[in-house]
Amino acid sequence: MEYIESPPSPVFSGFIKRFWSLEYDPAGKNAESETVLPDGCPEIVFNLSDRFLKLHRDGNEVQAATLFSGQLSRNITIQPTGRVQLFGVRFQPAGFVPFGVSMGDMTDQIVDLRLVLGQAGGELEEMVNSASGFTDRIRIFENHFRSRLADQGKEDPLTSAAAEMITQSGGAIPLSALRGRLGVSERRLERHFKGAVGISPKMLARISRFQAVVRTIQRSESVGLLDAALSFGYFDQSHMIREFREFSGETPRGYFDHTHKISDIFTSVVD
């Protein structure tokens, strides 16, 4: 498995967290399914090889070649059908604002990029697919994003600042303290988050805390569940387990009993 990543050019760092590339060949035809966890970030993923399946209780769905994922409030399960070769653009929580999309409409949605960006999405897909490598794909995407910024001129500094404070604290900052620092009412902040992020400040804080717990346990087998729960501000171990079930679909012990080729990479990355 080969995973590489790169930060964006500084001018785009307020919108884009990182570019990444993942390549591997699953063993055999019956590749293992993968759990994708909520992480507080919208994302565009270009599939440069075989498609993925999105698994449902009532059947499987072949995913589009290029996907836009809005904010996830719950896990999804995917499965490769062959060789994996992905190029991804992970945005800041409010980083998709320049595309003029209401993120509240995209929560828990994973759709063909062309349904979100129209013809421009198809053109971008073709250019990225024909690029010579990782660096060239970054150049192509940044050129496209630069034109979006010039055309739309949209940004939401209030929401971006609030989201950064939440994620940098691992979801630990009290929202009342956050609103006090920014001088904003609860209602106004909720309204901004609905349009620019797609989930509430409270949900982003819960997801950020969950991700911090996953990273901590993933790095150290000696960390007990009770210690982790208390360290990250859960009321007790049962509270943390309920949150873990909601976001991963499993108990902590059940989740960590097996590896997750894709999720393990992304949860190990510290933003």
Side-chain angles (χ1 to χ4, degrees):
M1 178 178 291
E2 180 182 0
Y3 173 77
I4 56 176
E5 64 177 55
S6 174
S9 298
V11 69
F12 303 124
S13 62
F15 301 94
I16 298 171
K17 276 195 172 185
R18 72 177 67 89
F19 297 98
W20 56 269
S21 173
L22 177 65
E23 297 185 30
Y24 71 95
D25 282 308
K29 294 183 178 180
N30 297 319
E32 293 183 0
S33 60
E34 291 277 347
T35 300
V36 178
L37 303 174
D39 63 8
C41 299
E43 196 153 28
I44 294 176
V45 179
F46 298 85
N47 191 335
L48 308 173
S49 189
D50 297 313
R51 303 286 186 90
F52 274 74
L53 296 176
K54 183 180 178 184
L55 308 186
H56 304 275
R57 291 181 180 178
D58 54 353
N60 302 332
E61 168 192 350
V62 179
Q63 292 192 311
T66 302
L67 301 169
F68 171 71
S69 173
Q71 290 282 356
L72 298 180
S73 65
R74 56 183 181 268
N75 71 88
I76 63 168
T77 304
I78 59 175
Q79 185 175 38
T81 61
R83 175 169 171 74
V84 174
Q85 185 180 9
L86 305 175
F87 171 67
V89 186
R90 178 159 297 181
F91 292 87
Q92 301 286 0
F96 211 71
V97 168
F99 287 96
V101 175
S102 175
M103 293 301 290
D105 296 333
M106 300 305 300
T107 303
D108 289 317
Q109 298 296 310
I110 301 176
V111 299
D112 191 320
L113 182 64
R114 289 171 293 185
L115 296 178
V116 180
L117 301 185
Q119 181 179 347
E123 293 171 352
L124 179 60
E125 178 181 333
E126 290 181 8
M127 289 188 291
V128 168
N129 287 346
S130 63
S132 59
F134 183 56
T135 301
D136 196 32
R137 293 183 186 109
I138 292 174
R139 178 189 61 79
I140 288 169
F141 191 89
E142 287 195 337
N143 285 342
H144 176 84
F145 196 74
R146 184 178 289 107
S147 67
R148 283 280 174 172
L149 287 176
D151 292 342
Q152 298 285 343
K154 292 183 177 180
E155 57 181 328
D156 190 335
L158 171 65
T159 308
S160 295
E164 182 177 9
M165 292 168 68
I166 290 171
T167 56
Q168 289 299 315
S169 73
I173 184 171
L175 296 182
S176 57
L178 180 148
R179 293 192 298 269
R181 291 186 194 179
L182 296 175
V184 62
S185 68
E186 180 178 4
R187 184 175 180 180
R188 183 184 175 202
L189 189 61
E190 290 275 353
R191 185 171 65 249
H192 275 253
F193 262 67
K194 182 177 181 180
V197 180
I199 53 177
S200 68
K202 182 178 180 180
M203 177 60 79
L204 181 60
R206 290 176 60 203
I207 291 172
S208 298
R209 180 167 60 173
F210 164 72
Q211 283 283 336
V213 168
V214 172
R215 283 194 296 270
T216 298
I217 297 177
Q218 192 178 62
R219 290 172 182 167
S220 176
E221 295 180 358
S222 63
V223 176
L225 295 183
L226 179 58
D227 290 338
L230 298 178
S231 296
F232 288 97
Y234 291 100
F235 297 125
D236 52 30
Q237 183 173 322
S238 296
H239 179 205
M240 187 187 75
I241 291 174
R242 287 195 302 272
E243 291 272 284
F244 214 99
R245 278 186 181 276
E246 179 175 344
F247 292 132
S248 75
E250 300 181 84
T251 65
R253 295 192 188 282
Y255 181 83
F256 289 110
D257 272 349
H258 47 276
T259 58
H260 308 268
K261 287 186 175 69
I262 295 177
S263 287
D264 286 353
I265 289 174
F266 295 127
T267 53
S268 67
V269 175
V270 178
D271 296 313

